[in-house]
Structures are given as structure tokens and as C-alpha cells.
Amino acid sequence: MVMYIHLGGEKIIRSAELVAIFDISIEKSSKISKQFVSHAMQEKNVEFIGEEEAKSIVVTKSTVYYSPISSSTLKKRANVFFANA
């Protein structure tokens, strides 16, 4: 069964594509995460969802998303999907 996770706005991903969900604060506190996002931007694999300020970073197999939904809310959504898988 294919499950999906709503990341905000009109963006929905397949749960199988999900790699990680981080709070936006990791961008400031972790040198490695800064390098990772910087590389993704160079490769044009970053997508900003909606007009609101980003609260979380969602990493998938192909894209890094900046989501206006908190990481805790997204993690709850993901856990519901994985618990039912």
C-alpha cells in the first residue's frame, strides 16, 4: 500500500521517499547540515513550500523541502503512516 505525507501547501510526498525530518534550527546549529543543504541548493534539489516561514527541513531521496509545518507535526504524521504500514 502506498502512503503519503502532506508537507504543507499543496506538497505531498510518498512515505517511502522520506529520509529525515529536522527542525529548522538544525540549519544554524550544525555545520554538516549547512553543507548538506548548500550542496542540495547547488544541485537545484531544494524546494520551498508556500509563502510562510519554514519550520522544518524534510529530506527525501531526491529533494530537500523547507516546510511551514513543524517537525514534530510532520514526525507524528510520518509515524502514523509507518505504524499502519
Side-chain angles (χ1 to χ4, degrees), residues 18-78:
L18 182 65
V19 174
I21 299 170
F22 299 105
D23 187 83
I24 195 72
S25 64
I26 196 169
E27 201 174 44
K28 294 176 181 69
S29 63
S30 169
K31 186 176 181 179
I32 292 172
S33 67
K34 284 181 199 171
Q35 292 172 342
F36 177 79
V37 171
S38 176
H39 178 72
M41 284 188 176
Q42 288 174 352
E43 297 292 317
K44 299 191 180 357
N45 293 337
V46 176
E47 189 174 320
F48 292 85
I49 301 169
E51 300 293 320
E52 298 174 54
E53 184 177 343
K55 295 180 183 171
S56 61
I57 298 172
V58 179
V59 180
T60 67
K61 295 177 182 178
S62 61
T63 308
V64 175
Y65 296 97
Y66 280 77
S67 172
I69 298 175
S70 73
S71 58
S72 60
T73 298
L74 290 172
K75 287 176 184 176
K76 286 176 192 170
R77 291 178 184 180

